[in-house]
Amino acid sequence: MKTGCIILAGGAGKRMKSERPKVLAEVLCKPMLGWVLDAVGGFPFDGVAVVTGYRADLTDAYVMSRGESIVTYLQKEQKGTGDAVKSAEQMIRAMDCVCVLNGDAPFIDSDTIKASLEYHLEKKADVTVITAEISDPTGYGRIIRSDGEFSAIREQKDCSPEEAEISEVNSGAYWFDAARLMSMLPRLSTNNAAGEYYLTDCIELTKKCAAFKSANPEIVLGANTRKALYELNTIARNNIIEQHMANGVSFVALDGIVIGKDVKIGCDTTVMPNTVILGNTEIGCGCNIGANCHIENCKIADNVTLDNVQAYDSVIEENVKIGPFAQLRPGSVIRTGVKIGNFVEIKNSDIGMNTCAAHLTYIGDSDVGRGVNFGCGSITANYDGINKYRTKIGDHAFIGSNTNLIAPVEVGANATTAAGSTVTKNVPENALFVERGTTRVKENWEKNFKRKKK
Ligand code: UD1
Ligand code: CA
């Protein structure tokens, strides 16, 4: 049996008041469509399609960026969910069973997709709707049952006052028999309050419809407005933090803590307030992260302490201490035992084991050996206004305070640069490099200077 998945992502989401398609609105800094695609990735579909429409260029670019084999179909005009599914006709024809998902309901999960297919097959249904009971059903399509039998989905706009009381709602996720779906789509009409082709009208076109009630009501939650989006963020944030607690991560207080959906954290790590951890970040065991850290796409090993650190696309090995007030820009590798102190910025550099940059240092495009010491205020001048060059520093070199290393330049192992030097030539191993003007001290200068001026 071949199964396909069609994700509806063409709507503008006018109520979101955005210039971007609604499905790209983010929950914990990841587009809602990304959440749905993650769930879809956990089920062995034979084909996955995304229906695009409003600002299809942006949706296409996001889908492409995931590097998965997903096809997109353009729905030229947004004439409703029924019409959107029709745009993916090619996919439907190639499959036996088709799962349709809303791109704006991020909490669907692969277990629900799997369990609902089993139910759909067991019931030999033409269409199975995934439903849930929620406390505030406003805005969702209601599940109508006559004599206990599921018979229709009524949209909010079309509900009678009694129907509006129903708390079982349509999640916007369905399984269809592909051939039956093909025969139903041309029969949908726009005879409703919104004047759209409702996919939900398929229910009334067949007696063989089933409703799979999910045990987890969150799977239905969607966002049509910024307020609803904020509510989804709140739910996701709490769920994720609770999951980390279950895995052995400590939180002293949750204020300002945001952890993205794909972040992994080891046991006995503590995350302190105002810390945001996003992207594909992995953090080891026994770390102290925060307060006030922002970490994106970093690999952090065990026993690392980060205090008021910003770190992007970087690797930090074990037993490293960074902060307060330090920044790791993309491409930095911080080796075991390194210490980085306040007002230090590192970019695209490899910092060797046990090296120390305790204060006010900029290290860019550099390869630094082990046990190097950077004095206060030392910097690499890696950019001449046109090109960027690398700096190489050998093991146990001592970079004196306020040294300027003008790249490309090399400092050999065990070499020392005198404080205040501007290094424009390679320094051999074990050498002392000094570059200073002649020192002059003029005695009684102030008195003489003033007399001349008079
Ligand atoms: C839809 C369901 C409703 C359900 C709810 C769950 C219908 C008619 N109603 O309502 O029963 O409770 O989802 O969240 O299906 N889209 C397109 N092209 C279009 C219109 C929409 O691709 O022409 C996409 C949207 O981008 C969105 C999804 O389809 O991702 C759902 O559309 P939306 O307008 O949000 O439907 P709801 O009013 O939420
Ligand atoms: Ca919606």
Side-chain angles (χ1 to χ4, degrees), residues 8-12 15 22-23 51 75 77-81 83-84 102-105 139-141 153 155 169-172 174 196 198-200 220 222 224:
L8 307 185
R15 290 165 281 178
K22 177 172 58 175
V23 295
V51 176
Q75 180 196 19
E77 259 181 273
Q78 280 56 69
K79 294 188 286 191
T81 48
D83 180 69
N102 271 359
D104 67 346
Y140 294 90
I153 298 174
E155 291 307 302
V169 301
N170 170 22
S171 67
Y174 323 76
E196 289 184 353
Y198 286 168
L199 181 64
T200 46
V220 309
N224 297 322

Side-chain angles (χ1 to χ4, degrees), residues 10 14 18 24-25 64 102 122 157-158 250 272 343 346 352 354 357 392 417 435 442:
K14 289 191 197 83
S18 172
L24 296 188
M64 282 279 282
N102 271 359
E122 188 190 304
K157 285 181 182 168
D158 306 295
S250 283
M272 296 293 279
F343 310 111
I346 296 178
N354 298 327
K392 269 194 172 160
T417 67
E435 185 271 353
K442 293 190 172 181

